[in-house]
Amino acid sequence: MRQGSAAVATGRRRWLAAGVAAVGVAAAVPAMGQQPAWPARPVRIVVPYAPGGGVDVIARALAERLGQKWGRPVIVENKLGAASIIGADAVAKAAPDGHTLLVTSESTITSNPFLYDKLPYDAVRDLTPISQLVSLPQMVLAHPSVQAGSLDDLVALAKARPNELNYASMGSGSLPHLLFEGLRHKTGIQITQIPYKGIMPAVTALIGGEVQLAMVGAAIAEPHIRAGKMKPLAIARASRLSSEPNVPTLAEAGYADIDPRESWFGLFATGGTPDAVIQRIHADVKAIAADPEFQQRFVAARGFDPVFSSPAAFTAALRDEMRHKEGLIRLTGAKAD
């Protein structure tokens, strides 16, 4: 792990160590009791990615329905740049009153703190988890020409053909980079990273044989798997997919220690936002997620797994994932591009 400021590192360790007690206090606050007069004005949801992507789409779907519930406009603002740091910083430095929220992906919270020497905010102290909204299972994939049907086969092939195989990534610290560099450190194989500007260029490169390996979302991969344009070797998920029952998890394949885990989208508020407001937002998001039409249009149809966890459950999951990502990033030596 690259060394950040002592204050940030100390704050992160304190949160990771004392998280259970903090979560218990937050969870004990009645979701619907003694609510403040909130919202008192329009609510802003910051999305640190471009319009039209998965994070943006689910943020806008929630914003529309939350606005109806709250009787106030809920506005989505796309603040791009610096690997989501600009958008996250805007929320971290907002007033802690629940009127500025963040919808982002896992890298903002569980990877960036370990990839950058210094961030303008502390991902633990300055952002309060509300709910993990959805998860996106990631598949380890090979071009059909690769003579390997499993990760063990791939390792054997790569050892027999050092420096001949390459893989697509979205840059240093991305999930594919962490997986394949972890595999290299674990097994001693020599494979080459080919970075691309986004998932779809990486998919195109794999289909065209420009790269032999990749790791992308199952929802994107499955049509190409059925068409015979790529083949799955494993999945980064706690259990197998019902749609791909023969594809083992990374843990089943013996690679749990280098599993970069699923991608996900989550909802956060500014650190210090009152617990009653956090619980109110979560309760309303959970009610929206229970609507079958919302589930079909914005979750199932996009290949997401619904989660919509409580603030307590999300905080506990983040603690565990941050520990795991810190170790994996340290193992691979990943640094921000």
Side-chain angles (χ1 to χ4, degrees), residues 134 219 292-306:
V134 297
E293 187 264 349
F294 180 89
Q295 283 277 351
Q296 179 55 40
R297 285 184 60 191
F298 300 107
V299 180
R302 296 182 173 274
F304 302 154
D305 283 349

Side-chain angles (χ1 to χ4, degrees), residues 148-168:
S150 68
L151 281 179
D152 284 344
D153 290 347
L154 176 64
V155 169
L157 179 66
K159 287 183 175 179
R161 296 167 50 189
N163 294 311
E164 291 186 26
L165 299 177
N166 55 32
Y167 69 92

